[in-house]
Amino acid sequence: MSSSVLSVRVSAEERALLEEAAAQSHTTLSEFMRRRSIEAAEAEVLNRSNITIPAKDWAAFEAWIGRPAEAVPALAELARRAPSWKG
C-alpha cells in the first residue's frame, strides 16, 4: 500500500482538541485524523448520491410518488413508544 502526505492547517486550539481526542482513542494523531477523515468522507459521499430514473420508468415513478400515503400500523405504534434511552 503506497501512501502520501496530506497537510492540514489548524489553529492551536483545534490541534489541542485533536490531540486529546487521539489520546482518548489510544491512537496517534495521524491515525486518528486518517480514520476520522475517511469516515467523514464516506458519509459525505453516501449522503450525496444521485438517483437516476430511466425515462421509460418516469411515468410509473410519478404515479407512485403522487399516490396518497398508506397507513402502516407498525410504524404508528413505533412512533407512540417512548425512546429506549428514556426508559
Side-chain angles (χ1 to χ4, degrees), residues 28-62:
T28 64
L29 178 58
S30 181
E31 178 59 20
F32 179 83
M33 293 294 298
R34 187 195 64 77
R35 183 171 31 95
R36 293 302 177 121
S37 297
I38 295 298
E39 289 172 2
E42 288 172 342
E44 188 70 24
V45 169
L46 288 173
N47 288 332
R48 300 218 180 225
S49 297
N50 291 328
I51 298 172
T52 303
I53 300 171
K56 68 179 181 60
D57 298 327
W58 188 253
F61 172 74
E62 282 189 324

Side-chain angles (χ1 to χ4, degrees), residues 1-2 8-9 12 18 23 25 30 32 35 38 45 55 58 63-64 76:
M1 177 178 148
S2 65
V8 178
R9 294 190 184 276
L18 292 167
S25 297
S30 181
F32 179 83
R35 183 171 31 95
I38 295 298
V45 169
W58 188 253
W64 173 77

Side-chain angles (χ1 to χ4, degrees), residues 58-85:
W58 188 253
F61 172 74
E62 282 189 324
W64 173 77
I65 201 77
R67 72 179 192 214
E70 295 177 21
V72 180
L75 289 178
E77 171 59 29
L78 184 60
R80 284 190 291 275
R81 283 194 216 162
S84 59
W85 62 87

